[in-house]
Amino acid sequence: MSEPLLMLPPLAPQQLHHTCDPEQFGFETTAELEGLTELIGQLRAMDAVRFGAGIRHDGYNVYVLGPSGMGKRSMVSQFLAKRAVNEQEQADWCYLNNFTQPHKPQAVRLPSGRGAELRHQMEQLVDYLRTAIPALFESDDYRAKTGAIEDEFNKQQEKVFAELGDDAAKQQIVLLRTPGGFAFAPTRNREVIPPDEYAKLPEEERQRIATAIADLQARLEKIMSHIPQWWKERSERVKQLNRETTLSTVKHAMDELRARFSDLPAIQTYLDVVQQDMVEHADDFRKQEESTTVSGLTIVTRESFHRYQVNVLVTSGEQAGAPIVSEDNPTYSNLIGRVEHIAQLGALVTDFTLIKPGALHRANGGYLLLDVRKVLTQPFAWDALKRALQSREIRIESLGQMYSLVSTVSLEPEPIPLEVKIILFGDRLFYYLLQQYDPDFGELFKVAADFEDRIERNADTHLLYARLIATLAAKEKLLPFDRSAVARVIEYSARLVGDAQRLSTHMRSVADLLQESDYWAREASLQAVTASNVQQAIDTQIHRQDRLRNQLQEAILRGTLLIDTQGAVAGQINGLSVIDLGNFAFAQPTRITATSRLGAGEMVNIEREVKLSGAIHSKGVLILSSLLAARYARNQPLALSASLVFEQSYGLVEGDSASMAELCVLLSNLANAPVFQSLAITGSVNQLGQAQAIGAVNEKIEGFFDICAARGLTGEQGVLIPAANVKHLMLRRDVVAAAQAGQFRIYAVDNVDQAIALLTGVPAGEADASGQYPADSINHRVAARVAELSALRKAFARLPEETLQTKKEQE
């Protein structure tokens, strides 16, 4: 069949690629340009961030929306860094020992820097007392005082026993001191009477001695019962002396600390408690080393005086202004803090000095930056974050204790008041899902900063983009880019976003291209990056990822995948499908075929029947079924059954971008009008037959062009696209060159009539006032075929009735 009638002219070459003229720039290289201080085209998002950071009411935390790689985090961090410098410095938070309830450490808020000072002063105090108190107890004055107490109690004891001995001597009885204690014995002339002589004494004398000894023994027992009390009194006297001795030294050192922290009442109270504890435990400073034997091994331990330490949880140090914390691993403990344990003699022990801060502690009074996906994927982290924001306090709890998984006694640190701005970064999908399914999310994150992924393309944004390139080049220490390179990067940006009238704001992709272009420029020993270096970087990016595309194109060229690019066949058309591999997308032609027969108006989507059709593709097939019925069988039943299939397609088919191709191939089958296989078509169609825009139009055109170019361009090949997609065209230069030479054509169609006329070379035909189409037009043929099938259906429906009437007549 001959070349299609050109009902529509092909698009002009200048419509296929919106170039960026390097001559519009007044600079030679980007080294001459001033850098940007913020991302271009993000005014709305940054206004939201500015509002969220400024408002100081509950729940006005910020969720930054947009795909990764747009520079959201760096932009927001840069803004917050400028703002935080002028805000109030972060306070120091310390945990102190609770001497009455050690398992409940006390939290104390101190002015910036004072926590570290208190910790240092307490360390110095303990070091001083560890030397001063032992020396004090070794002094002559202390020994004299303790000796006086000892002498006093010894004299009191000796006096009592002397009186008892004198009373015994008056009754000729002596008080003896033996290794087993005290004993009484009768005497004669002050000599103890031996047992044998005592037995010879008269009965009365023995009776008298026994009675006297019994009385003396009773007195002795009474005296002995008082001895523990005397020892206790002596011990109390020594302890009191120790307290007084220790107090004199501790109080002197404490007075210096009190003077340093006179403006902090909480510290004054703490120092009073510390002083009292030090006085009561003065012996701890005297016996600083103890030895313990475990399994025959002697372990020497040294008193660490942990209870007097100050655990400075957070301090601003030398950092000015409010803190900005970015937590890249937001686990439960990394967010709210934890209580660590150490192994000691085979057991795990802990104290308040092992309380460690979390990101919320470090960001308290400032800003905490988090990635929402990382928070949501960490067990219990999201709930812990919400709980802290709702209660406005940070409560350190172990998961085992919280969920009653363990019964071990642990610490219960006093909660710390929380005042922080949370900045969540994440995709739009997470934002909308959380809004829908988490009732707390909307209350806690009331500010959405939605970053644009594209900006309008014009002369002003071209210059801004050039400054952006200069900024990125300076930041990454790249070679300067000349204006031709800048123009090529701008064209790449438009192609990246798939719109000739827009530019991409995906900074990671642009930065990657700049870095790779710099590499190739340095390889060529250039002083500045040129357009050829940028093009080389683009080509190598594609080359690294196009293995699968090459294999599929090879399968088509070798005839494994059946795709015709010449001739004409009824009921067969070249559709265009896109394969997305993440960072690389490409298209390939796909053969779509249609068959029709007498039926009951059924449109069989074979892909759907075998569950290889997505919902959107199935919707597209139903729409074209509705269009057929409305256009060709408005006053009669649609008496056909049709089947549509993507040939040699073994994966899921999704999207409605092939619905125009499916409609045209079905019309071709019904009208028995061959479709030019040198043409491919893409586009969506609605119930009115209008062509609707689709995505990846550049990749689809280039996918068919590559196959045609490999087989040899004839000038008859081309692609039909919806007219609404013309503004999206940013085709490769080889495609534009082929179109300019008349070897390849791109047609923009508004409706199915224009498309089928170009595909078949037969006019579609427009209905007149009576609804009749011109003879030999596509629409006339289709309407005639539908009417024919309807008449056949009616004839078959009457057949049983007529057969029965004939039989009755014969009878």
Side-chain angles (χ1 to χ4, degrees), residues 221-251:
E221 291 176 358
K222 186 174 182 181
I223 292 171
M224 295 301 292
S225 67
H226 284 85
I227 288 178
Q229 181 63 31
W230 296 338
W231 279 97
K232 181 179 179 182
E233 291 176 2
R234 186 190 69 171
S235 178
E236 290 295 332
R237 288 278 301 279
V238 173
K239 287 183 178 181
Q240 182 62 29
L241 174 62
N242 291 346
R243 282 193 292 268
E244 293 173 355
T245 303
T246 305
L247 180 61
S248 62
T249 302
V250 173
K251 187 175 184 303

PDB file of all heavy atoms in Angstrom, residues 221-251:
ATOM      1  N   GLU A 221      27.502  -9.467 136.474  1.00  0.00           N
ATOM      2  CA  GLU A 221      26.649  -9.617 135.289  1.00  0.00           C
ATOM      3  C   GLU A 221      25.979  -8.302 134.914  1.00  0.00           C
ATOM      4  O   GLU A 221      25.814  -7.971 133.731  1.00  0.00           O
ATOM      5  CB  GLU A 221      25.606 -10.701 135.539  1.00  0.00           C
ATOM      6  CG  GLU A 221      26.210 -12.109 135.613  1.00  0.00           C
ATOM      7  CD  GLU A 221      25.164 -13.162 135.948  1.00  0.00           C
ATOM      8  OE1 GLU A 221      23.996 -12.763 136.159  1.00  0.00           O
ATOM      9  OE2 GLU A 221      25.515 -14.350 135.987  1.00  0.00           O
ATOM     10  N   LYS A 222      25.604  -7.563 135.929  1.00  0.00           N
ATOM     11  CA  LYS A 222      24.982  -6.268 135.659  1.00  0.00           C
ATOM     12  C   LYS A 222      25.978  -5.321 135.006  1.00  0.00           C
ATOM     13  O   LYS A 222      25.638  -4.575 134.059  1.00  0.00           O
ATOM     14  CB  LYS A 222      24.454  -5.682 136.962  1.00  0.00           C
ATOM     15  CG  LYS A 222      23.656  -4.398 136.762  1.00  0.00           C
ATOM     16  CD  LYS A 222      23.035  -3.934 138.065  1.00  0.00           C
ATOM     17  CE  LYS A 222      22.200  -2.670 137.847  1.00  0.00           C
ATOM     18  NZ  LYS A 222      21.597  -2.193 139.107  1.00  0.00           N
ATOM     19  N   ILE A 223      27.213  -5.378 135.537  1.00  0.00           N
ATOM     20  CA  ILE A 223      28.263  -4.531 134.935  1.00  0.00           C
ATOM     21  C   ILE A 223      28.517  -4.948 133.492  1.00  0.00           C
ATOM     22  O   ILE A 223      28.631  -4.111 132.583  1.00  0.00           O
ATOM     23  CB  ILE A 223      29.553  -4.615 135.776  1.00  0.00           C
ATOM     24  CG1 ILE A 223      29.332  -3.947 137.137  1.00  0.00           C
ATOM     25  CG2 ILE A 223      30.720  -3.953 135.047  1.00  0.00           C
ATOM     26  CD1 ILE A 223      30.476  -4.170 138.119  1.00  0.00           C
ATOM     27  N   MET A 224      28.588  -6.280 133.283  1.00  0.00           N
ATOM     28  CA  MET A 224      28.859  -6.777 131.926  1.00  0.00           C
ATOM     29  C   MET A 224      27.745  -6.405 130.960  1.00  0.00           C
ATOM     30  O   MET A 224      27.989  -6.186 129.766  1.00  0.00           O
ATOM     31  CB  MET A 224      29.056  -8.290 131.955  1.00  0.00           C
ATOM     32  CG  MET A 224      30.288  -8.756 132.735  1.00  0.00           C
ATOM     33  SD  MET A 224      31.825  -8.079 132.085  1.00  0.00           S
ATOM     34  CE  MET A 224      31.923  -8.909 130.523  1.00  0.00           C
ATOM     35  N   SER A 225      26.525  -6.333 131.448  1.00  0.00           N
ATOM     36  CA  SER A 225      25.417  -5.949 130.571  1.00  0.00           C
ATOM     37  C   SER A 225      25.515  -4.490 130.133  1.00  0.00           C
ATOM     38  O   SER A 225      24.947  -4.098 129.117  1.00  0.00           O
ATOM     39  CB  SER A 225      24.083  -6.201 131.285  1.00  0.00           C
ATOM     40  OG  SER A 225      23.932  -5.332 132.392  1.00  0.00           O
ATOM     41  N   HIS A 226      26.248  -3.676 130.932  1.00  0.00           N
ATOM     42  CA  HIS A 226      26.396  -2.274 130.560  1.00  0.00           C
ATOM     43  C   HIS A 226      27.558  -2.029 129.612  1.00  0.00           C
ATOM     44  O   HIS A 226      27.644  -0.966 128.997  1.00  0.00           O
ATOM     45  CB  HIS A 226      26.599  -1.411 131.828  1.00  0.00           C
ATOM     46  CG  HIS A 226      25.333  -1.184 132.589  1.00  0.00           C
ATOM     47  ND1 HIS A 226      24.850  -2.076 133.519  1.00  0.00           N
ATOM     48  CD2 HIS A 226      24.434  -0.163 132.551  1.00  0.00           C
ATOM     49  CE1 HIS A 226      23.721  -1.631 134.045  1.00  0.00           C
ATOM     50  NE2 HIS A 226      23.441  -0.451 133.476  1.00  0.00           N
ATOM     51  N   ILE A 227      28.458  -3.022 129.524  1.00  0.00           N
ATOM     52  CA  ILE A 227      29.643  -2.809 128.688  1.00  0.00           C
ATOM     53  C   ILE A 227      29.293  -2.532 127.219  1.00  0.00           C
ATOM     54  O   ILE A 227      29.838  -1.607 126.607  1.00  0.00           O
ATOM     55  CB  ILE A 227      30.610  -4.008 128.827  1.00  0.00           C
ATOM     56  CG1 ILE A 227      31.269  -3.970 130.214  1.00  0.00           C
ATOM     57  CG2 ILE A 227      31.663  -3.994 127.726  1.00  0.00           C
ATOM     58  CD1 ILE A 227      32.202  -5.125 130.490  1.00  0.00           C
ATOM     59  N   PRO A 228      28.360  -3.298 126.554  1.00  0.00           N
ATOM     60  CA  PRO A 228      28.012  -2.975 125.152  1.00  0.00           C
ATOM     61  C   PRO A 228      27.492  -1.549 124.990  1.00  0.00           C
ATOM     62  O   PRO A 228      27.794  -0.890 123.992  1.00  0.00           O
ATOM     63  CB  PRO A 228      26.929  -4.015 124.813  1.00  0.00           C
ATOM     64  CG  PRO A 228      27.226  -5.160 125.707  1.00  0.00           C
ATOM     65  CD  PRO A 228      27.701  -4.565 126.995  1.00  0.00           C
ATOM     66  N   GLN A 229      26.713  -1.115 125.961  1.00  0.00           N
ATOM     67  CA  GLN A 229      26.216   0.250 125.870  1.00  0.00           C
ATOM     68  C   GLN A 229      27.348   1.255 125.960  1.00  0.00           C
ATOM     69  O   GLN A 229      27.362   2.256 125.248  1.00  0.00           O
ATOM     70  CB  GLN A 229      25.194   0.492 126.999  1.00  0.00           C
ATOM     71  CG  GLN A 229      24.582   1.885 126.997  1.00  0.00           C
ATOM     72  CD  GLN A 229      23.768   2.153 125.741  1.00  0.00           C
ATOM     73  OE1 GLN A 229      23.197   1.229 125.171  1.00  0.00           O
ATOM     74  NE2 GLN A 229      23.726   3.405 125.322  1.00  0.00           N
ATOM     75  N   TRP A 230      28.353   0.911 126.885  1.00  0.00           N
ATOM     76  CA  TRP A 230      29.493   1.829 126.972  1.00  0.00           C
ATOM     77  C   TRP A 230      30.293   1.856 125.671  1.00  0.00           C
ATOM     78  O   TRP A 230      30.745   2.916 125.242  1.00  0.00           O
ATOM     79  CB  TRP A 230      30.411   1.385 128.134  1.00  0.00           C
ATOM     80  CG  TRP A 230      29.746   1.485 129.478  1.00  0.00           C
ATOM     81  CD1 TRP A 230      28.693   2.237 129.832  1.00  0.00           C
ATOM     82  CD2 TRP A 230      30.120   0.754 130.649  1.00  0.00           C
ATOM     83  NE1 TRP A 230      28.351   2.062 131.139  1.00  0.00           N
ATOM     84  CE2 TRP A 230      29.219   1.160 131.677  1.00  0.00           C
ATOM     85  CE3 TRP A 230      31.113  -0.191 130.952  1.00  0.00           C
ATOM     86  CZ2 TRP A 230      29.297   0.638 132.974  1.00  0.00           C
ATOM     87  CZ3 TRP A 230      31.210  -0.672 132.242  1.00  0.00           C
ATOM     88  CH2 TRP A 230      30.293  -0.285 133.244  1.00  0.00           C
ATOM     89  N   TRP A 231      30.437   0.644 125.050  1.00  0.00           N
ATOM     90  CA  TRP A 231      31.136   0.607 123.761  1.00  0.00           C
ATOM     91  C   TRP A 231      30.361   1.380 122.683  1.00  0.00           C
ATOM     92  O   TRP A 231      30.956   2.056 121.850  1.00  0.00           O
ATOM     93  CB  TRP A 231      31.322  -0.838 123.315  1.00  0.00           C
ATOM     94  CG  TRP A 231      32.488  -1.521 123.962  1.00  0.00           C
ATOM     95  CD1 TRP A 231      32.449  -2.341 125.047  1.00  0.00           C
ATOM     96  CD2 TRP A 231      33.853  -1.400 123.586  1.00  0.00           C
ATOM     97  NE1 TRP A 231      33.708  -2.770 125.385  1.00  0.00           N
ATOM     98  CE2 TRP A 231      34.607  -2.196 124.494  1.00  0.00           C
ATOM     99  CE3 TRP A 231      34.541  -0.701 122.579  1.00  0.00           C
ATOM    100  CZ2 TRP A 231      35.997  -2.309 124.427  1.00  0.00           C
ATOM    101  CZ3 TRP A 231      35.918  -0.843 122.508  1.00  0.00           C
ATOM    102  CH2 TRP A 231      36.627  -1.617 123.419  1.00  0.00           C
ATOM    103  N   LYS A 232      29.072   1.260 122.733  1.00  0.00           N
ATOM    104  CA  LYS A 232      28.242   1.989 121.762  1.00  0.00           C
ATOM    105  C   LYS A 232      28.388   3.488 121.955  1.00  0.00           C
ATOM    106  O   LYS A 232      28.514   4.254 120.993  1.00  0.00           O
ATOM    107  CB  LYS A 232      26.779   1.574 121.902  1.00  0.00           C
ATOM    108  CG  LYS A 232      25.846   2.253 120.920  1.00  0.00           C
ATOM    109  CD  LYS A 232      24.412   1.777 121.085  1.00  0.00           C
ATOM    110  CE  LYS A 232      23.479   2.471 120.109  1.00  0.00           C
ATOM    111  NZ  LYS A 232      22.081   2.049 120.293  1.00  0.00           N
ATOM    112  N   GLU A 233      28.356   3.891 123.240  1.00  0.00           N
ATOM    113  CA  GLU A 233      28.512   5.319 123.508  1.00  0.00           C
ATOM    114  C   GLU A 233      29.887   5.800 123.058  1.00  0.00           C
ATOM    115  O   GLU A 233      30.020   6.897 122.500  1.00  0.00           O
ATOM    116  CB  GLU A 233      28.326   5.581 124.999  1.00  0.00           C
ATOM    117  CG  GLU A 233      26.889   5.373 125.469  1.00  0.00           C
ATOM    118  CD  GLU A 233      26.754   5.543 126.968  1.00  0.00           C
ATOM    119  OE1 GLU A 233      27.794   5.858 127.607  1.00  0.00           O
ATOM    120  OE2 GLU A 233      25.642   5.366 127.477  1.00  0.00           O
ATOM    121  N   ARG A 234      30.905   4.950 123.297  1.00  0.00           N
ATOM    122  CA  ARG A 234      32.235   5.333 122.850  1.00  0.00           C
ATOM    123  C   ARG A 234      32.289   5.426 121.335  1.00  0.00           C
ATOM    124  O   ARG A 234      32.862   6.373 120.761  1.00  0.00           O
ATOM    125  CB  ARG A 234      33.253   4.305 123.341  1.00  0.00           C
ATOM    126  CG  ARG A 234      34.695   4.729 123.037  1.00  0.00           C
ATOM    127  CD  ARG A 234      35.670   3.622 123.294  1.00  0.00           C
ATOM    128  NE  ARG A 234      35.498   2.547 122.310  1.00  0.00           N
ATOM    129  CZ  ARG A 234      36.348   1.513 122.205  1.00  0.00           C
ATOM    130  NH1 ARG A 234      37.377   1.402 123.012  1.00  0.00           N
ATOM    131  NH2 ARG A 234      36.130   0.578 121.303  1.00  0.00           N
ATOM    132  N   SER A 235      31.647   4.444 120.639  1.00  0.00           N
ATOM    133  CA  SER A 235      31.620   4.470 119.173  1.00  0.00           C
ATOM    134  C   SER A 235      30.894   5.703 118.654  1.00  0.00           C
ATOM    135  O   SER A 235      31.329   6.339 117.691  1.00  0.00           O
ATOM    136  CB  SER A 235      30.952   3.198 118.643  1.00  0.00           C
ATOM    137  OG  SER A 235      30.864   3.224 117.235  1.00  0.00           O
ATOM    138  N   GLU A 236      29.775   6.046 119.314  1.00  0.00           N
ATOM    139  CA  GLU A 236      29.035   7.237 118.901  1.00  0.00           C
ATOM    140  C   GLU A 236      29.868   8.486 119.102  1.00  0.00           C
ATOM    141  O   GLU A 236      29.834   9.414 118.290  1.00  0.00           O
ATOM    142  CB  GLU A 236      27.719   7.345 119.673  1.00  0.00           C
ATOM    143  CG  GLU A 236      26.686   6.305 119.291  1.00  0.00           C
ATOM    144  CD  GLU A 236      26.220   6.469 117.856  1.00  0.00           C
ATOM    145  OE1 GLU A 236      26.249   7.615 117.348  1.00  0.00           O
ATOM    146  OE2 GLU A 236      25.860   5.461 117.233  1.00  0.00           O
ATOM    147  N   ARG A 237      30.624   8.500 120.206  1.00  0.00           N
ATOM    148  CA  ARG A 237      31.489   9.647 120.462  1.00  0.00           C
ATOM    149  C   ARG A 237      32.554   9.753 119.363  1.00  0.00           C
ATOM    150  O   ARG A 237      32.864  10.851 118.893  1.00  0.00           O
ATOM    151  CB  ARG A 237      32.173   9.492 121.821  1.00  0.00           C
ATOM    152  CG  ARG A 237      31.227   9.699 123.024  1.00  0.00           C
ATOM    153  CD  ARG A 237      31.046  11.183 123.314  1.00  0.00           C
ATOM    154  NE  ARG A 237      32.293  11.837 123.614  1.00  0.00           N
ATOM    155  CZ  ARG A 237      32.904  11.821 124.812  1.00  0.00           C
ATOM    156  NH1 ARG A 237      32.358  11.139 125.827  1.00  0.00           N
ATOM    157  NH2 ARG A 237      34.050  12.462 124.998  1.00  0.00           N
ATOM    158  N   VAL A 238      33.107   8.581 118.976  1.00  0.00           N
ATOM    159  CA  VAL A 238      34.125   8.592 117.915  1.00  0.00           C
ATOM    160  C   VAL A 238      33.497   9.027 116.589  1.00  0.00           C
ATOM    161  O   VAL A 238      34.086   9.813 115.838  1.00  0.00           O
ATOM    162  CB  VAL A 238      34.775   7.203 117.789  1.00  0.00           C
ATOM    163  CG1 VAL A 238      35.700   7.151 116.575  1.00  0.00           C
ATOM    164  CG2 VAL A 238      35.557   6.872 119.057  1.00  0.00           C
ATOM    165  N   LYS A 239      32.290   8.498 116.314  1.00  0.00           N
ATOM    166  CA  LYS A 239      31.612   8.891 115.080  1.00  0.00           C
ATOM    167  C   LYS A 239      31.300  10.380 115.068  1.00  0.00           C
ATOM    168  O   LYS A 239      31.438  11.061 114.040  1.00  0.00           O
ATOM    169  CB  LYS A 239      30.323   8.089 114.896  1.00  0.00           C
ATOM    170  CG  LYS A 239      30.551   6.640 114.496  1.00  0.00           C
ATOM    171  CD  LYS A 239      29.223   5.941 114.271  1.00  0.00           C
ATOM    172  CE  LYS A 239      29.442   4.497 113.812  1.00  0.00           C
ATOM    173  NZ  LYS A 239      28.163   3.795 113.574  1.00  0.00           N
ATOM    174  N   GLN A 240      30.845  10.863 116.204  1.00  0.00           N
ATOM    175  CA  GLN A 240      30.565  12.291 116.286  1.00  0.00           C
ATOM    176  C   GLN A 240      31.821  13.096 116.060  1.00  0.00           C
ATOM    177  O   GLN A 240      31.807  14.120 115.357  1.00  0.00           O
ATOM    178  CB  GLN A 240      29.948  12.620 117.662  1.00  0.00           C
ATOM    179  CG  GLN A 240      29.580  14.086 117.844  1.00  0.00           C
ATOM    180  CD  GLN A 240      28.522  14.540 116.838  1.00  0.00           C
ATOM    181  OE1 GLN A 240      27.695  13.746 116.387  1.00  0.00           O
ATOM    182  NE2 GLN A 240      28.559  15.821 116.497  1.00  0.00           N
ATOM    183  N   LEU A 241      32.932  12.601 116.623  1.00  0.00           N
ATOM    184  CA  LEU A 241      34.210  13.274 116.389  1.00  0.00           C
ATOM    185  C   LEU A 241      34.569  13.211 114.907  1.00  0.00           C
ATOM    186  O   LEU A 241      35.042  14.207 114.337  1.00  0.00           O
ATOM    187  CB  LEU A 241      35.307  12.605 117.236  1.00  0.00           C
ATOM    188  CG  LEU A 241      36.733  13.107 116.992  1.00  0.00           C
ATOM    189  CD1 LEU A 241      36.847  14.587 117.345  1.00  0.00           C
ATOM    190  CD2 LEU A 241      37.738  12.281 117.783  1.00  0.00           C
ATOM    191  N   ASN A 242      34.329  12.019 114.298  1.00  0.00           N
ATOM    192  CA  ASN A 242      34.618  11.894 112.867  1.00  0.00           C
ATOM    193  C   ASN A 242      33.761  12.856 112.037  1.00  0.00           C
ATOM    194  O   ASN A 242      34.236  13.476 111.082  1.00  0.00           O
ATOM    195  CB  ASN A 242      34.375  10.461 112.407  1.00  0.00           C
ATOM    196  CG  ASN A 242      35.379   9.485 112.982  1.00  0.00           C
ATOM    197  OD1 ASN A 242      36.419   9.901 113.514  1.00  0.00           O
ATOM    198  ND2 ASN A 242      35.069   8.187 112.894  1.00  0.00           N
ATOM    199  N   ARG A 243      32.476  12.954 112.412  1.00  0.00           N
ATOM    200  CA  ARG A 243      31.590  13.861 111.692  1.00  0.00           C
ATOM    201  C   ARG A 243      32.047  15.301 111.826  1.00  0.00           C
ATOM    202  O   ARG A 243      32.069  16.054 110.852  1.00  0.00           O
ATOM    203  CB  ARG A 243      30.152  13.700 112.175  1.00  0.00           C
ATOM    204  CG  ARG A 243      29.445  12.482 111.617  1.00  0.00           C
ATOM    205  CD  ARG A 243      27.957  12.550 111.863  1.00  0.00           C
ATOM    206  NE  ARG A 243      27.638  12.433 113.271  1.00  0.00           N
ATOM    207  CZ  ARG A 243      27.359  11.280 113.879  1.00  0.00           C
ATOM    208  NH1 ARG A 243      27.365  10.149 113.179  1.00  0.00           N
ATOM    209  NH2 ARG A 243      27.063  11.250 115.162  1.00  0.00           N
ATOM    210  N   GLU A 244      32.384  15.652 113.047  1.00  0.00           N
ATOM    211  CA  GLU A 244      32.828  17.024 113.272  1.00  0.00           C
ATOM    212  C   GLU A 244      34.137  17.304 112.542  1.00  0.00           C
ATOM    213  O   GLU A 244      34.322  18.375 111.963  1.00  0.00           O
ATOM    214  CB  GLU A 244      32.992  17.284 114.769  1.00  0.00           C
ATOM    215  CG  GLU A 244      31.676  17.254 115.534  1.00  0.00           C
ATOM    216  CD  GLU A 244      31.890  17.352 117.043  1.00  0.00           C
ATOM    217  OE1 GLU A 244      33.068  17.351 117.457  1.00  0.00           O
ATOM    218  OE2 GLU A 244      30.894  17.428 117.781  1.00  0.00           O
ATOM    219  N   THR A 245      35.007  16.291 112.586  1.00  0.00           N
ATOM    220  CA  THR A 245      36.287  16.460 111.898  1.00  0.00           C
ATOM    221  C   THR A 245      36.080  16.574 110.393  1.00  0.00           C
ATOM    222  O   THR A 245      36.679  17.421 109.726  1.00  0.00           O
ATOM    223  CB  THR A 245      37.209  15.271 112.216  1.00  0.00           C
ATOM    224  OG1 THR A 245      37.367  15.166 113.643  1.00  0.00           O
ATOM    225  CG2 THR A 245      38.564  15.450 111.568  1.00  0.00           C
ATOM    226  N   THR A 246      35.219  15.665 109.841  1.00  0.00           N
ATOM    227  CA  THR A 246      34.950  15.697 108.397  1.00  0.00           C
ATOM    228  C   THR A 246      34.207  16.968 108.011  1.00  0.00           C
ATOM    229  O   THR A 246      34.494  17.589 106.979  1.00  0.00           O
ATOM    230  CB  THR A 246      34.127  14.464 107.982  1.00  0.00           C
ATOM    231  OG1 THR A 246      34.795  13.279 108.398  1.00  0.00           O
ATOM    232  CG2 THR A 246      33.919  14.427 106.482  1.00  0.00           C
ATOM    233  N   LEU A 247      33.243  17.340 108.834  1.00  0.00           N
ATOM    234  CA  LEU A 247      32.430  18.516 108.518  1.00  0.00           C
ATOM    235  C   LEU A 247      33.275  19.759 108.372  1.00  0.00           C
ATOM    236  O   LEU A 247      33.018  20.601 107.510  1.00  0.00           O
ATOM    237  CB  LEU A 247      31.369  18.703 109.600  1.00  0.00           C
ATOM    238  CG  LEU A 247      30.427  19.896 109.410  1.00  0.00           C
ATOM    239  CD1 LEU A 247      29.647  19.742 108.103  1.00  0.00           C
ATOM    240  CD2 LEU A 247      29.475  20.023 110.590  1.00  0.00           C
ATOM    241  N   SER A 248      34.267  19.878 109.212  1.00  0.00           N
ATOM    242  CA  SER A 248      35.097  21.081 109.143  1.00  0.00           C
ATOM    243  C   SER A 248      35.785  21.201 107.791  1.00  0.00           C
ATOM    244  O   SER A 248      35.919  22.291 107.227  1.00  0.00           O
ATOM    245  CB  SER A 248      36.134  21.058 110.268  1.00  0.00           C
ATOM    246  OG  SER A 248      37.006  19.931 110.128  1.00  0.00           O
ATOM    247  N   THR A 249      36.219  20.035 107.247  1.00  0.00           N
ATOM    248  CA  THR A 249      36.896  20.058 105.952  1.00  0.00           C
ATOM    249  C   THR A 249      35.901  20.165 104.802  1.00  0.00           C
ATOM    250  O   THR A 249      36.081  20.953 103.870  1.00  0.00           O
ATOM    251  CB  THR A 249      37.746  18.782 105.778  1.00  0.00           C
ATOM    252  OG1 THR A 249      38.683  18.717 106.853  1.00  0.00           O
ATOM    253  CG2 THR A 249      38.478  18.787 104.455  1.00  0.00           C
ATOM    254  N   VAL A 250      34.825  19.341 104.876  1.00  0.00           N
ATOM    255  CA  VAL A 250      33.838  19.331 103.785  1.00  0.00           C
ATOM    256  C   VAL A 250      33.150  20.677 103.678  1.00  0.00           C
ATOM    257  O   VAL A 250      32.961  21.213 102.585  1.00  0.00           O
ATOM    258  CB  VAL A 250      32.819  18.200 103.998  1.00  0.00           C
ATOM    259  CG1 VAL A 250      31.698  18.292 102.967  1.00  0.00           C
ATOM    260  CG2 VAL A 250      33.499  16.843 103.913  1.00  0.00           C
ATOM    261  N   LYS A 251      32.767  21.247 104.797  1.00  0.00           N
ATOM    262  CA  LYS A 251      32.033  22.510 104.772  1.00  0.00           C
ATOM    263  C   LYS A 251      32.880  23.623 104.175  1.00  0.00           C
ATOM    264  O   LYS A 251      32.386  24.458 103.403  1.00  0.00           O
ATOM    265  CB  LYS A 251      31.594  22.903 106.180  1.00  0.00           C
ATOM    266  CG  LYS A 251      30.680  24.128 106.231  1.00  0.00           C
ATOM    267  CD  LYS A 251      30.195  24.385 107.630  1.00  0.00           C
ATOM    268  CE  LYS A 251      29.210  25.545 107.635  1.00  0.00           C
ATOM    269  NZ  LYS A 251      29.778  26.789 107.060  1.00  0.00           N
TER     270      LYS A 251
END
